[in-house]
Amino acid sequence: MNIAEFLKEDRISLNLKASNKEKTIEEMAGLLRDANEISDFDLYLKDVYEREALQTTGIGNRIAIPHARTDAVTEFVIAFGRSVEGVEFNSLDKKSVKIIFLMGTPKKKGVNSYLQILAYLTRLLNKEDFREALLNASTPKTVINEFRKFETNTVL
């Protein structure tokens, strides 16, 4: 499993403008508005907000992974965003979030593969040098290359 294969340069924002959780999710969702993997954008966004209302996806270490299993998505889809200022995400460690992954997966694909992707991404993000590489990336291409480098050279 490689996250890099799902990342696309036009779905990466290195300078998110939003200053709160809802607007950040909305801004990032805009990166996916025309994604072929999303069949119903409004339903997808609604499902992401509903999932976020259940429990924060601010997992700590300045990372949030808002996501949804939804009928509005036909294939796994992901966007990456970075906030220079940080966004209050009600994170488990109470710190503002700077690295955000917005994801969606179809309900019909089952929960196992989705949970594996979430767990894999979380393990990768537990590595401080990887988080620093993402925070310091200067272009979307660099973000994807950092994923490739760490996914190739890291045993998780």
Side-chain angles (χ1 to χ4, degrees):
M1 166 187 335
N2 283 331
I3 302 293
E5 71 186 68
F6 297 105
L7 288 169
K8 295 182 173 28
E9 288 184 48
D10 62 343
R11 297 178 186 177
I12 296 173
S13 174
L14 299 179
N15 193 18
L16 293 170
K17 304 287 187 232
S19 58
N20 67 46
K21 180 185 349 187
E22 292 74 21
K23 292 293 184 186
T24 299
I25 290 172
E26 190 176 303
E27 184 178 345
M28 289 196 60
L31 298 171
L32 300 175
R33 182 171 291 282
D34 297 322
N36 293 333
E37 299 91 338
I38 298 179
S39 59
D40 185 334
F41 180 80
D42 293 332
L43 177 60
Y44 168 66
L45 192 53
K46 176 182 164 287
D47 288 345
V48 169
Y49 284 132
E50 284 180 4
R51 166 57 189 87
E52 192 66 34
L54 294 174
Q55 182 180 11
T56 185
T57 56
I59 62 171
N61 286 324
R62 301 203 177 271
I63 301 162
I65 310 175
H67 59 277
R69 285 185 64 236
T70 175
D71 292 325
V73 173
T74 58
E75 295 293 332
F76 177 74
V77 65
I78 187 169
F80 172 83
R82 186 175 69 197
S83 171
V84 175
E85 300 297 319
V87 177
E88 175 51 49
F89 234 87
N90 195 28
S91 294
L92 298 175
D93 64 0
K94 308 293 186 221
K95 293 181 181 175
S96 64
V97 166
K98 293 190 172 194
I99 298 171
I100 302 113
F101 292 89
L102 178 63
M103 301 189 312
T105 195
K107 279 185 181 177
K108 67 181 181 205
K109 292 273 181 156
V111 72
N112 285 346
S113 62
Y114 193 54
L115 291 176
Q116 287 174 342
I117 290 170
L118 276 171
Y120 175 77
L121 181 58
T122 301
R123 286 192 306 273
L124 201 56
L125 291 165
N126 277 334
K127 300 190 170 303
E128 186 175 354
D129 52 345
F130 180 63
R131 291 192 311 272
E132 287 300 317
L134 295 179
L135 287 171
N136 294 319
S138 57
T139 66
K141 187 178 191 87
T142 304
V143 170
I144 295 168
N145 287 337
E146 290 298 338
F147 264 92
R148 285 189 180 122
K149 181 172 86 175
F150 277 85
E151 288 180 314
T152 302
N153 297 322
T154 304
V155 177
L156 296 177

